[in-house]
Amino acid sequence: MDVQVDVSSRVPIYRQVCDQIRLAIALGKLEPNDRLPSVRELSRQIVVNPNTVARVYTELEREGVLNTRPGLGVFVAETRSDLTRKARREKLTEQLNIFLSGAVHLGLTQDEVRRAFEEQMKKFQWKG
Amino acid sequence: MDVQVDVSSRVPIYRQVCDQIRLAIALGKLEPNDRLPSVRELSRQIVVNPNTVARVYTELEREGVLNTRPGLGVFVAETRSDLTRKARREKLTEQLNIFLSGAVHLGLTQDEVRRAFEEQMKKFQWKG
Amino acid sequence: MDVQVDVSSRVPIYRQVCDQIRLAIALGKLEPNDRLPSVRELSRQIVVNPNTVARVYTELEREGVLNTRPGLGVFVAETRSDLTRKARREKLTEQLNIFLSGAVHLGLTQDEVRRAFEEQMKKFQWKG
Amino acid sequence: MDVQVDVSSRVPIYRQVCDQIRLAIALGKLEPNDRLPSVRELSRQIVVNPNTVARVYTELEREGVLNTRPGLGVFVAETRSDLTRKARREKLTEQLNIFLSGAVHLGLTQDEVRRAFEEQMKKFQWKG
DNA sequence: GTGGTCTAGACCACC
DNA sequence: GTGGTCTAGACCACT
């Protein structure tokens, strides 16, 4: 678990950390039942207030990504999805549009984006 | 130019409008040197405080997406890109990773995501 | 909106407030698009730290019960449910078992509980 | 006595065990004067720290649900109720309200909830 | 004015 | 040791 925080970014710290933990899990760098660093440990490591880290863990627990075992620590949860198929497709399209409109705005070509997409996709842990 | 504002979204209104204007340009619905509605016009149209619209235009001008010709109105700027090729690729990868971790967590398969990706990509106006 | 907080309870304050707001909505005392008191207002009213109230609002927003319009305040959201039918039935049964085992433990009879159930149920705003 | 502990739940282990013992009594699976497994026995069986089991028994004894006969073991107490009739009705209504607001928010109809209620109620061991 | 984020530091419950 | 909750107070972004 190496987490990088950019304090000068406009993205809130707790969001940066959330994103990185989600990413690590999606990439398979963290697997179900792996233990994460303790709140105090991680807060020392990335030089951030313990409350901020606690907030990250709380938030990811509510999302079902992590779960905490009182007195033991915080662990990666088993994956599950309560969402309907339709809701999931909608969320996907929504996220996709945000991503693609950013890509267009960067002035990249369709092929560049497709290549990057295919390349990155290999690195993730897919379901099927 | 039809802009839809969702007041019940957690995304700030000014950002929603910014994103939609950028998107319209990315999709080719707005082309360089097209004139945008005036601040008052647009604020009436989408039922939003004029200050908020003014801010949107200021911000997009600062980004180099729009430019104001005093007395004439606000226009779509010629596309240009300040970012180096390398910086743009890095930004792309970063956004891609956030998008893909979300997709993995939704429990979708690689094929489902790829299909949605190809389908949505058609709708955008690419450079190359 | 009258909210009662019992500081001597073992139930955390933020949870007491959450429960009462959810209840008010379920009873139809608060309807979609009604505005809630501001964070500072409610925190003064119930004599609790503003952060605690902010936490309540954040949590209920994540649940989809409320949504906040930046600069304007916090509002009751339109109801929606992304959950699958199966997930909803499971949650219902789970909550029901907790409730019923509490009721048995109180030493009440089946009829007493059924009567209370039918009586309270009338007061809520049901979907069908 | 089969007790299932879900370590990935946010409910503390000791409460899970307490709840399940109370539930077993409510369902009539355990009757007054039945003997429970010893602390060591149960802790081995459910793979939990013996201290945690000891705490469960202490707590349930304090509540009057169990009682310890030194040298003999731990037994289910005779049912008794300290609460006044009025206090019990109030507690019932309070729990009912929390349960029903959850049910409303799940988007279920009155009939669905009533059917689930009647079905689950059969499984419990009532007083009257 | 509104809510959102972060820090600092305290106390409690759980194992 | 672990995380959870609450307070106090600061600063920022949005309308």
Side-chain angles (χ1 to χ4, degrees):
Chain A
M1 273 302 291
D2 64 327
V3 175
Q4 299 297 329
V5 169
D6 173 10
V7 290
S8 72
S9 160
R10 312 166 67 210
V11 180
I13 294 176
Y14 86 95
R15 249 184 148 314
Q16 296 181 37
V17 180
C18 277
D19 285 346
Q20 290 181 47
I21 292 175
R22 277 198 218 93
L23 181 59
I25 294 172
L27 289 171
K29 286 182 183 170
L30 284 174
E31 301 194 343
N33 298 312
D34 280 359
R35 187 173 174 281
L36 277 81
S38 80
V39 169
R40 291 154 173 89
E41 216 172 300
L42 186 54
S43 80
R44 270 197 310 270
Q45 186 185 321
I46 62 181
V47 194
V48 147
N49 188 293
N51 280 335
T52 304
V53 176
R55 177 175 179 182
V56 169
Y57 284 176
T58 309
E59 192 138 335
L60 291 174
E61 173 157 24
R62 243 182 315 237
E63 285 180 23
V65 176
L66 302 180
N67 56 52
T68 103
R69 306 179 195 166
L72 293 178
V74 177
F75 299 79
V76 178
E78 307 284 348
T79 53
R80 50 146 202 159
S81 189
D82 283 351
L83 295 178
T84 61
R85 185 142 207 83
K86 182 160 167 287
R88 280 186 284 168
R89 302 296 294 240
E90 277 169 9
K91 270 192 207 298
L92 180 72
T93 309
E94 189 188 314
Q95 293 305 311
L96 201 41
N97 279 330
I98 291 172
F99 165 67
L100 286 174
S101 100
V104 169
H105 190 241
L106 283 171
L108 299 161
T109 68
Q110 209 168 356
D111 267 358
E112 285 176 308
V113 176
R114 183 183 285 115
R115 263 200 304 276
F117 175 79
E118 290 294 341
E119 190 180 347
Q120 285 308 111
M121 199 154 76
K122 283 184 214 147
K123 301 181 186 164
F124 285 76
Q125 290 287 322
W126 297 94
K127 185 189 164 199
Chain B
M1 271 302 292
D2 66 325
V3 175
Q4 298 296 331
V5 169
D6 175 10
V7 291
S8 72
S9 160
R10 58 144 97 77
V11 180
I13 293 176
Y14 93 97
R15 278 209 60 190
Q16 292 184 41
V17 181
C18 279
D19 287 348
Q20 287 183 50
I21 292 176
R22 277 200 219 91
L23 183 60
I25 296 172
L27 290 171
K29 288 182 182 167
L30 282 174
E31 301 195 344
N33 299 311
D34 280 0
R35 186 176 172 282
L36 274 81
S38 75
V39 169
R40 288 185 187 173
E41 222 173 313
L42 185 55
S43 79
R44 267 201 310 277
Q45 185 187 323
I46 62 181
V47 195
V48 149
N49 192 305
N51 288 331
T52 305
V53 176
R55 175 173 181 181
V56 168
Y57 283 178
T58 311
E59 186 131 340
L60 290 175
E61 183 161 16
R62 199 175 46 70
E63 286 180 22
V65 176
L66 303 179
N67 51 47
T68 304
R69 305 179 196 165
L72 294 175
V74 178
F75 297 81
V76 177
E78 303 286 346
T79 51
R80 52 155 194 151
S81 195
D82 295 343
L83 295 172
T84 64
R85 184 145 205 82
K86 183 158 167 290
R88 282 186 284 164
R89 300 295 295 243
E90 274 169 11
K91 214 168 173 52
L92 180 72
T93 308
E94 191 190 309
Q95 294 304 313
L96 201 40
N97 281 337
I98 289 174
F99 165 66
L100 288 173
S101 359
V104 169
H105 189 243
L106 283 172
L108 299 161
T109 66
Q110 213 167 350
D111 268 358
E112 286 175 306
V113 177
R114 182 181 287 115
R115 263 199 303 276
F117 174 79
E118 291 294 340
E119 191 180 346
Q120 286 306 113
M121 197 152 77
K122 285 185 215 146
K123 300 182 186 162
F124 286 76
Q125 181 79 13
W126 297 91
K127 186 189 166 196
Chain C
M1 272 301 295
D2 65 326
V3 175
Q4 299 298 331
V5 169
D6 174 10
V7 290
S8 71
S9 161
R10 311 166 68 211
V11 180
I13 294 175
Y14 86 95
R15 248 185 150 312
Q16 296 181 37
V17 180
C18 278
D19 285 346
Q20 289 181 48
I21 292 176
R22 276 198 219 93
L23 181 59
I25 294 171
L27 289 171
K29 287 183 183 168
L30 283 173
E31 300 195 343
N33 298 312
D34 280 0
R35 186 173 175 284
L36 277 83
S38 79
V39 169
R40 292 153 170 87
E41 215 172 300
L42 186 53
S43 80
R44 271 196 308 272
Q45 186 185 321
I46 63 182
V47 194
V48 147
N49 188 293
N51 281 334
T52 304
V53 177
R55 176 173 181 181
V56 169
Y57 285 177
T58 309
E59 191 137 337
L60 291 175
E61 173 157 26
R62 240 178 321 234
E63 285 179 24
V65 176
L66 303 180
N67 56 50
T68 103
R69 306 179 195 168
L72 294 177
V74 176
F75 299 79
V76 178
E78 307 284 347
T79 53
R80 49 146 202 160
S81 192
D82 283 350
L83 295 178
T84 60
R85 186 142 207 85
K86 184 162 166 284
R88 280 186 281 168
R89 302 297 293 240
E90 277 169 9
K91 273 191 207 298
L92 180 72
T93 310
E94 189 188 314
Q95 293 305 311
L96 201 40
N97 279 331
I98 291 173
F99 164 67
L100 286 173
S101 102
V104 169
H105 190 240
L106 283 172
L108 298 160
T109 68
Q110 208 166 357
D111 268 358
E112 285 175 307
V113 176
R114 181 182 286 114
R115 263 200 304 274
F117 174 80
E118 290 294 341
E119 190 180 347
Q120 285 306 111
M121 199 153 76
K122 280 185 218 149
K123 300 181 188 165
F124 286 76
Q125 290 286 321
W126 296 94
K127 184 191 164 196
Chain D
M1 271 299 290
D2 65 324
V3 175
Q4 297 297 330
V5 170
D6 175 9
V7 290
S8 72
S9 159
R10 60 144 94 76
V11 181
I13 292 176
Y14 93 97
R15 279 208 61 189
Q16 292 184 41
V17 180
C18 277
D19 286 348
Q20 288 184 47
I21 292 176
R22 278 199 217 90
L23 182 60
I25 295 171
L27 290 170
K29 288 182 182 168
L30 283 174
E31 300 194 344
N33 299 312
D34 279 359
R35 186 176 171 279
L36 276 80
S38 75
V39 168
R40 290 182 187 177
E41 223 172 314
L42 185 55
S43 78
R44 266 200 310 275
Q45 185 187 323
I46 62 181
V47 193
V48 148
N49 191 306
N51 287 331
T52 305
V53 175
R55 176 171 178 183
V56 168
Y57 283 178
T58 311
E59 187 132 339
L60 290 174
E61 183 161 15
R62 199 177 43 74
E63 285 179 23
V65 176
L66 303 180
N67 51 46
T68 304
R69 305 179 196 164
L72 293 176
V74 178
F75 298 81
V76 178
E78 303 287 344
T79 53
R80 52 155 196 155
S81 195
D82 295 343
L83 295 172
T84 64
R85 182 143 207 84
K86 183 158 168 289
R88 281 186 286 165
R89 301 295 294 242
E90 274 170 12
K91 210 161 177 54
L92 180 72
T93 307
E94 189 189 311
Q95 294 304 312
L96 201 40
N97 280 337
I98 289 174
F99 164 68
L100 288 173
S101 1
V104 168
H105 188 243
L106 283 172
L108 299 161
T109 67
Q110 211 166 352
D111 269 358
E112 285 175 307
V113 176
R114 182 182 287 112
R115 263 200 303 276
F117 174 80
E118 291 294 341
E119 190 180 346
Q120 287 306 114
M121 199 153 77
K122 283 183 214 148
K123 300 182 185 163
F124 286 76
Q125 182 77 15
W126 297 92
K127 187 186 166 196

